[in-house]
Structures are given as C-alpha cells and as structure tokens.
Amino acid sequence: MQTYFITGIGTEVGKTMVSAIVTEALKADYWKPIQAGELNHCDSKKVQDLISNTNSKFHENSYALQTPMSPHAAADIENITIELKKIKPPKTKNNLVIEGAGGLLVPLNHKDTILDLIKPNYKVIVVSRHYLGSINHTLLTINLLKEKGFDVSIIFSGNEHKTTENIITTMTNVNVIGRIDEEPYFDKNVILEYAEELRSNLKSL
C-alpha cells in the first residue's frame, strides 16, 4: 500500500479536487491532518461528498481549527501549539491520500512546516495552476522536494497554458500524471471521470 501526499504551489490551486480524484481512482482512504476554518464545510467533507466508492474511509483531522488562517496563526488565536508528535497518520491497510494545507512552507508553529509532515516513503503529488508567478512557485516547490529526496510527480490544474507547462516539465523532469481542466462544476460524476482517466498513471507511480 502507498501513501500519497497532495501539496500545492499555494492556496486555491485545486488540491482538494485532486485529492478527491486520487482518492476515488485508488479507492484510497483520505486524511487531512490540519484543517483551519470552514469546519462545517471542511475539505474532508468536500472530498467525502465527491466520492462514489464505498471502500474509502475518511480519518479525523489531528487539528481542527476555527480560524481560516495559516495553521500557526489559527492555533495561536485558540491558544494552541501544533505539535508534530501529535500528528500521526491513521493506521490503515488501504492506500492513503493525505492533503496538505497551502504550500510546503506554510508554518505549523515557530519551527515546523507542512514539509515536515511528509515522510520519506510518501509519493508526493504537486498541484500546479497557472497564474502570474506560478512558474517560480512550481519550480521552488518541486526543487525543494527533490532536494529532500522525495518521489515527486505533478498534476496541472485549470486551463491549459502550454508554454508554462512545457518549461516546468523541461526544467524539473518530473512525471506528469495529467491535468484537471477548468470545469464549470465538480460533482461525483466529474470526479469519477477524472479518476478513471488518471488511474493507470497513478498506479504506475
């Protein structure tokens, strides 16, 4: 069984939709270690609502914070200190999809970041979405992961931008799993279609 860590080059780049697609494609379990804000409509619930298979299990957050801010700031407001030792991956005999928060260097406290949640054996999937500055953010993210020795792949999200995607793939030489287009909406059927399209690429990681 494999563990897949979904990270992005920033916020609002499509991590949750990608997490739903990977979870559906592999009929994997899903876990978001830290949720900050939107607890009544959190990412775990969004993914659960988009999944069609009955095999996936959804594991509780290690930290569920009320404020929609960076985890360290949200925790500070609630007089909490996020501790890495309290963030333990759930025990499962299934594949596991872990969704990060924001980008790699989002702080959890005064010394640890999202990057510190990624273990050496994880398969890391970077979600990249085109915007002004996204090439820089994508290269920084992928190069840092490669420097740390992680197995890195990429999924592009949003409208295709060939020159951006070509330079990223040329300069990083990482595996491209596929792309998620700018859809008018995402529901179970759309997620299932992408899951079927990307399943073989995901299983070959």
Side-chain angles (χ1 to χ4, degrees):
M1 295 293 103
Q2 297 282 3
T3 298
Y4 303 82
F5 194 99
I6 314 295
T7 191
I9 63 170
T11 58
E12 304 300 325
V13 296
K15 287 192 308 300
T16 301
M17 291 305 107
V18 168
S19 295
I21 290 164
V22 177
T23 299
E24 182 64 52
L26 301 174
K27 297 183 178 179
D29 286 7
Y30 170 92
W31 179 51
K32 178 145 186 169
I34 303 169
Q35 175 71 39
E38 293 190 315
L39 297 186
N40 292 327
H41 190 51
C42 64
D43 291 338
S44 296
K45 291 179 181 177
K46 291 176 185 175
V47 173
Q48 191 167 7
D49 288 343
L50 291 169
I51 296 303
S52 299
N53 82 83
T54 57
N55 192 58
S56 295
K57 294 181 180 179
F58 297 84
H59 301 275
E60 288 187 12
N61 311 117
S62 296
Y63 288 91
L65 306 167
Q66 297 287 341
T67 309
M69 296 177 67
S70 174
H72 80 289
D76 187 59
I77 289 171
E78 297 180 34
N79 295 313
I80 295 171
T81 298
I82 294 175
E83 300 179 56
L84 279 184
K85 65 182 180 181
K86 293 184 178 179
I87 304 175
K88 298 179 180 179
K91 293 180 180 179
T92 178
K93 295 181 179 179
N94 194 10
N95 289 312
L96 177 64
V97 173
I98 303 175
E99 181 180 353
L104 286 180
L105 296 183
V106 167
L108 306 179
N109 49 47
H110 292 297
K111 64 175 183 176
D112 302 311
T113 68
I114 292 293
L115 181 63
D116 294 299
L117 299 178
I118 307 176
K119 299 185 183 301
N121 61 312
Y122 289 1
K123 305 284 187 180
V124 184
I125 298 174
V126 174
V127 182
S128 177
R129 183 180 182 89
H130 174 73
Y131 54 81
L132 186 62
S134 66
I135 295 174
N136 179 52
H137 295 160
T138 305
L139 295 180
L140 285 169
T141 298
I142 291 175
N143 288 339
L144 177 56
L145 287 164
K146 289 173 73 174
E147 285 173 12
K148 298 291 184 180
F150 292 112
D151 184 331
V152 188
S153 300
I154 191 169
I155 288 179
F156 290 108
S157 167
N159 292 327
E160 184 178 19
H161 199 280
K162 288 185 178 180
T163 56
T164 294
E165 294 171 21
N166 287 343
I167 196 66
I168 287 169
T169 53
T170 299
M171 294 185 73
T172 63
N173 195 34
V174 295
N175 177 51
V176 179
I177 297 170
R179 67 172 308 102
I180 311 302
D181 293 323
E182 191 71 31
E183 300 288 349
Y185 61 88
F186 285 93
D187 62 10
K188 287 186 176 184
N189 290 330
V190 175
I191 294 297
L192 191 58
E193 287 177 8
Y194 277 110
E196 291 171 350
E197 178 183 330
L198 300 182
R199 183 174 291 119
S200 61
N201 288 347
L202 288 164
K203 286 186 173 181
S204 67
L205 294 181

